[in-house]
Amino acid sequence: MEITTTLRSVLDRKGTDTWSIPPGASVFEAISEMSTRNIGALPVIRDGHLVGMISERDYTRKVILLGRSSRDTRVDEIMTVDSVTADPHDSIEKCMQLMTKCRVRHLPVLEYGRLLGIVSIGDLVNWIINAQTAAIEDLEHYVTGAYPG
């Protein structure tokens, strides 16, 4: 496990299972799916292509705070259209910078225009922590003479 690895490695370890919602679904359906799956965002897919993202943040800011009904509001009315995306070959460092700069917590990973998976900021932080822990253990083994190499 390396800190300088790519999103492909993160997805290989995490898995590429994704759930999505169509743009015409109600916000209530989207929030219900997020609750069931214990996730904070869903890709919005039309004809196999990513057309947006809907998150808990979209729900709170564009439905709840405006006094709208989640059952009467469609996903495509509140989704984030210009989604920030990444390529599976992008580095974890690049994606952390992108997510921080754009203030997003979920990053769809596209390969040849198709959704390959989604990584969260938590996925990337966990990867970095695990990589640092492994590097420290390797250094400790090296210093104490227990290094197998």
Side-chain angles (χ1 to χ4, degrees), residues 27 31 34 39-42 53-66 78-80 84 98-106 121:
V27 171
I31 295 299
M34 285 186 246
I39 56 177
L42 280 171
M53 290 287 291
I54 183 168
S55 68
E56 293 168 333
R57 183 182 288 176
D58 292 320
Y59 173 65
T60 57
R61 293 180 181 182
K62 299 173 187 173
V63 176
I64 296 296
L65 290 177
L66 297 178
I78 69 160
M79 69 184 185
T80 300
V84 178
L98 179 66
M99 293 172 85
T100 302
K101 177 184 171 195
C102 297
R103 302 179 52 89
V104 296
R105 297 181 197 143
H106 302 88
I121 195 80

Side-chain angles (χ1 to χ4, degrees), residues 51-111:
V51 295
M53 290 287 291
I54 183 168
S55 68
E56 293 168 333
R57 183 182 288 176
D58 292 320
Y59 173 65
T60 57
R61 293 180 181 182
K62 299 173 187 173
V63 176
I64 296 296
L65 290 177
L66 297 178
R68 299 172 77 178
S69 164
S70 61
R71 291 187 190 274
D72 298 328
T73 305
R74 290 170 32 132
V75 167
D76 58 4
E77 294 176 56
I78 69 160
M79 69 184 185
T80 300
V81 178
D82 297 325
S83 302
V84 178
T85 64
D87 181 274
H89 304 292
D90 288 342
S91 72
I92 291 175
E93 180 182 1
K94 176 184 175 183
C95 293
M96 290 281 291
Q97 290 171 348
L98 179 66
M99 293 172 85
T100 302
K101 177 184 171 195
C102 297
R103 302 179 52 89
V104 296
R105 297 181 197 143
H106 302 88
L107 190 60
V109 182
L110 302 180
E111 187 170 49

Side-chain angles (χ1 to χ4, degrees), residues 49 66 96 114 124 128 131 138-139:
H49 295 283
L66 297 178
M96 290 281 291
R114 297 285 181 172
L124 300 185
I128 290 170
D138 286 348
L139 288 171

